[in-house]
Amino acid sequence: MAIFNRNSVNDTAAASLPRHIAIIMDGNGRWAKKRGLPRKLGHSAGAETFRTISRYCDKLGVEQLTVYAFSTENWKRPADEVEGIMNLLRKYLKDSCAQLAAENVRLRFLGDLEVLPQDIRDLIAQNKVISDKCDGIIVNICVNYGGRLDIVHAARKLAEKVKNGELDPADITEDMFSENLWTKGLPDPDLLIRTGAESRISNFLLWQSAYSEFYFTDTLFPDFTPDKLDEAISWFSGRKRRFGGV
Ligand code: IPE
Ligand code: IPE
Ligand code: MG
């Protein structure tokens, strides 16, 4: 483990470490089903795995970790499952209020947060105050996030500027578009991992993953250990990224 540490004296190992890792944390429900447990317990197990993986990424020296926790489509699920996921988010936010400063983690939430219950929005705001004082790993949790909605929101913001006469449509650039996404200021993900044996992107980071390396694994998210992350990083380090060049 930890052969990729950015602080390592080995420059090659440091260079092979992705700056930004994104994870579609899928497979919680199937993990629970396999054990005859309610899906809710799969989500609790997934939340524990998320804590372990975010600590491990910090230890490795990964600069940014972005995880998909709840999509704009996940509201279609039964109300008690949605409620269970919101409760886990509450618990995480309450616990992390105390832990974030100690662990020096900068926590960010990406997505359309306005429709979340008010108490969760308040906890997110409290966390922001604490985490703004930290300078360690940036952990972005995508909640009520959809890649298409992200793009639509950005388009609306730019359209508003055009309407007000502040912007000429011909001057809209890719960088300007990126700066109006929820991921404003983040580098694009280098490595995008999906656990849970599905080979699709399910509306995650559509714009931002244009040149990400995609790693699909059958491992269900609650079983995704630091060793499995090492395997993904090792696979990543063997990729030749050309970005359209030769
Ligand atoms: C991912 O696990 C977590 C969320 C989408 C909230 P799932 O709940 O989708 O688990 P599976 O895919 O049904 O196993
Ligand atoms: C993607 O998983 C969303 C999250 C992990 C939060 P889903 O389980 O919702 O995706 P689909 O429905 O299998 O595409
Ligand atoms: Mg799923």
Side-chain angles (χ1 to χ4, degrees):
M1 265 206 271
I3 50 170
F4 309 101
N5 198 311
R6 197 175 288 287
N7 304 319
S8 157
V9 285
N10 181 339
D11 286 347
T12 314
S16 65
L17 181 70
R19 271 183 82 191
H20 183 181
I21 298 178
I23 308 181
I24 301 176
M25 307 187 290
D26 195 28
N28 294 345
R30 279 163 286 159
W31 182 91
K33 195 174 173 205
K34 262 172 61 181
R35 288 163 178 75
L37 300 170
R39 291 179 59 86
K40 227 162 75 176
L41 291 186
H43 294 308
S44 318
E48 274 314 305
T49 299
F50 160 65
R51 285 177 158 94
T52 306
I53 292 295
S54 52
R55 284 195 190 107
Y56 185 61
C57 282
D58 188 29
K59 191 173 140 203
L60 287 180
V62 170
E63 290 171 26
Q64 307 247 356
L65 171 69
T66 301
V67 295
Y68 205 7
F70 193 84
S71 75
T72 45
E73 287 72 42
N74 287 148
W75 298 104
K76 292 177 195 160
R77 296 188 178 205
D80 65 329
E81 179 168 348
V82 171
E83 183 60 22
I85 295 170
M86 292 300 147
N87 282 338
L88 281 170
L89 185 57
R90 274 188 187 94
K91 183 175 167 356
Y92 178 77
L93 280 160
K94 282 181 187 153
D95 295 350
S96 56
C97 269
Q99 279 171 17
L100 279 180
E103 294 185 6
N104 201 22
V105 170
R106 280 177 286 174
L107 196 60
R108 306 267 186 273
F109 286 83
L110 311 181
D112 185 0
L113 307 177
E114 284 179 19
V115 299
L116 296 178
Q118 187 58 49
D119 67 308
I120 292 187
R121 291 168 62 193
D122 292 344
L123 284 165
I124 289 176
Q126 284 170 31
N127 268 273
K128 188 173 180 322
V129 175
I130 301 171
S131 75
D132 279 353
K133 294 182 189 131
C134 300
D135 61 4
I137 186 172
I138 297 181
V139 176
N140 306 293
I141 303 184
C142 298
V143 182
N144 194 27
Y145 178 87
R148 288 181 172 178
L149 190 60
D150 198 358
I151 292 168
V152 166
H153 270 236
R156 279 189 200 145
K157 283 193 231 164
L158 294 174
E160 203 60 42
K161 286 192 181 147
V162 170
K163 190 174 122 193
N164 297 339
E166 296 162 37
L167 179 65
D168 182 338
D171 291 336
I172 297 174
T173 61
E174 291 186 11
D175 284 347
M176 198 185 286
F177 213 99
S178 295
E179 284 302 296
N180 283 280
L181 294 166
W182 286 314
T183 48
K184 176 183 184 333
L186 268 63
D188 286 341
D190 302 294
L191 170 62
L192 193 152
I193 299 170
R194 181 174 186 142
T195 62
E198 304 293 359
S199 311
R200 55 178 173 254
I201 192 149
S202 301
N203 205 10
F204 192 43
L205 302 177
L206 299 181
W207 172 279
Q208 299 85 343
S209 63
Y211 273 102
S212 302
E213 300 293 333
F214 287 74
Y215 182 85
F216 296 103
T217 168
D218 289 349
T219 304
L220 302 173
F221 189 68
D223 293 329
F224 193 69
T225 55
D227 281 345
K228 301 220 182 240
L229 180 61
D230 279 347
E231 281 170 31
I233 296 175
S234 173
W235 171 86
F236 171 84
S237 67
R239 309 308 304 161
K240 292 267 174 298
R241 304 184 77 193
R242 286 182 288 277
F243 298 97
V246 285

